Amino acid sequence: MTVRMVIDTDTASDDAVALAMALRHPDVDVVAITTVAGNCPVEVSTRNALYTAELCGADVPVYAGAAGPLVVDAQFGTWFHGEDGLGDQGYPLPTRGPELTDAPAALADAIRANPGCILVTLGPLTNVVVALRQAPDIVDLVGRCVVMGGTVNAVGNVTPAAEFNLWFDPHAARAVFASGLPIEMAPWEICRGEAGLDGGEQEALRSLDTPLAHFFLDCNSTAMEAARRQSGTRRMELPDPTAMAVALDKHSIVTGSSQHYVEVEADSPLTRGMSVVDSLNVTGNPPNVEVVTAIDVQRFKQMLFQAAQ
Ligand code: RIB
Ligand code: CA
């Protein structure tokens, strides 16, 4: 059965690999890609999404969205992904541009036209909350909402308390987590460690010697160096592809998850963007998020290699 998917992304290095995994999956129809500012300015995210779709031979419509957060100032992640978001490899410009419709309207249109679809968010949630405000009915039309973002009260990657996607636009994240969307949260910690490609796996990917295998490695070269400086890892950690694997094959990928009440802090300077997970149900609030706590990393890597063929 073909799965209909809508992807919202701040397309940079790891987003591009996640897009390729979905676009090249035989059982998935990506009906729309919407772009948002985050890793890089939205014009750059849009260009990168179009370029990645072209590499995959996919003519999926791409819609440009929010240029910045709802309230706070934009602080892009080019320090991590490179100025062009794709490791500054000098890739050519895409041959087509985005559609005229803006991303929030496109999200609403795509979800209304494909009830039960999977919405995958790979970046800040600005487009999603604007779409929900403009079209509140869509909250009941989304079958699954897989969010790459947050941590389970764990180590942040942009502040000690927060993961980048929720931190970049904390007010949007707070509203989306409270919206009633059927959120499956893929937190940063399940994307790290063993989930990253070690040196041998990177060499194995390179030895596929396909255009996408080289693209996956090359466009993530800046991010890998930034991650090494940040945490000492020499692995190629791929948060968005990890979340995409959850979306594409939850049954075989997810080996641990639990339902919890999760609230995102929006205003505290210290904990802005923190996903506060009520792990022990001490609030008594009804769960609003399925938190993915463990994945089958070997199965994830098989999916990644399949996408690179
Ligand atoms: O914290 C990781 C997330 O932030 C990923 O989506 C990466 O692309 C960046 O947007
Ligand atoms: Ca991203």
Side-chain angles (χ1 to χ4, degrees):
M1 182 187 81
T2 299
V3 171
R4 299 262 192 271
M5 184 178 283
V6 179
I7 305 172
D8 189 72
T9 164
D10 59 339
T11 314
S13 321
D14 62 321
D15 303 68
V17 178
L19 289 178
M21 288 171 67
L23 292 169
R24 290 175 51 77
H25 195 292
D27 302 328
V28 172
D29 178 11
V30 180
V31 296
I33 294 174
T34 53
T35 58
V36 67
N39 284 321
C40 25
V42 68
E43 301 77 18
V44 178
S45 300
T46 305
R47 184 176 73 210
N48 293 342
L50 286 161
Y51 178 72
T52 303
E54 210 158 295
L55 277 186
C56 297
D59 61 359
V60 53
V62 175
Y63 303 87
L70 294 179
V71 176
V72 297
D73 293 334
Q75 291 179 268
F76 304 121
T78 45
W79 59 273
F80 194 89
H81 296 278
E83 282 306 309
D84 72 358
L86 294 178
D88 297 327
Q89 300 290 310
Y91 296 122
L93 294 174
T95 58
R96 67 183 171 103
E99 307 301 312
L100 294 178
T101 305
D102 68 39
L107 281 170
D109 293 346
I111 291 166
R112 284 172 174 154
N114 298 279
C117 67
I118 302 178
L119 172 60
V120 181
T121 72
L122 305 175
L125 295 169
T126 318
N127 287 339
V128 176
V129 73
V130 173
L132 288 169
R133 288 175 177 175
Q134 293 174 350
D137 59 295
I138 64 175
V139 74
D140 295 321
L141 299 177
V142 173
R144 296 171 60 200
C145 179
V146 178
V147 173
M148 192 285 130
T151 69
V152 180
N153 310 324
V155 173
N157 57 14
V158 66
T159 71
E163 174 279 329
F164 178 82
N165 286 340
L166 303 194
W167 170 87
F168 183 86
D169 190 343
H171 296 88
R174 182 177 179 82
V176 168
F177 272 67
S179 69
L181 276 172
I183 294 175
E184 299 167 31
M185 173 176 147
W188 189 49
E189 57 267 24
I190 68 166
C191 311
R192 305 180 64 191
E194 292 293 317
L197 301 187
D198 65 19
E201 291 161 336
Q202 293 167 41
E203 287 170 17
L205 183 58
R206 180 71 73 184
S207 67
L208 292 182
D209 197 22
T210 61
L212 279 176
H214 293 304
F215 175 66
F216 287 5
L217 289 161
D218 296 341
C219 81
N220 276 283
S221 56
T222 304
M224 279 180 60
E225 178 53 25
R228 186 194 62 77
R229 288 197 305 270
Q230 182 181 57
S231 68
T233 183
R234 293 194 178 277
R235 288 179 177 264
M236 181 174 166
E237 295 178 346
L238 295 165
D240 291 336
T242 307
M244 183 56 76
V246 170
L248 290 170
D249 190 358
K250 181 177 185 178
H251 176 71
S252 64
I253 290 291
V254 175
T255 55
S257 73
S258 45
Q259 300 279 349
H260 297 284
Y261 176 70
V262 181
E263 189 172 340
V264 178
E265 169 58 46
D267 298 308
S268 158
L270 178 62
T271 56
R272 155 189 160 179
M274 179 177 182
S275 46
V276 181
V277 178
D278 185 1
S279 301
L280 299 181
N281 193 27
V282 294
T283 65
N285 292 332
N288 57 329
V289 175
E290 179 178 2
V291 180
V292 178
T293 53
I295 63 166
D296 181 330
V297 295
Q298 289 315 314
R299 180 71 188 103
F300 158 55
K301 291 173 181 177
Q302 285 169 5
M303 292 178 75
L304 185 68
F305 275 64
Q306 281 165 353
Q309 296 295 340

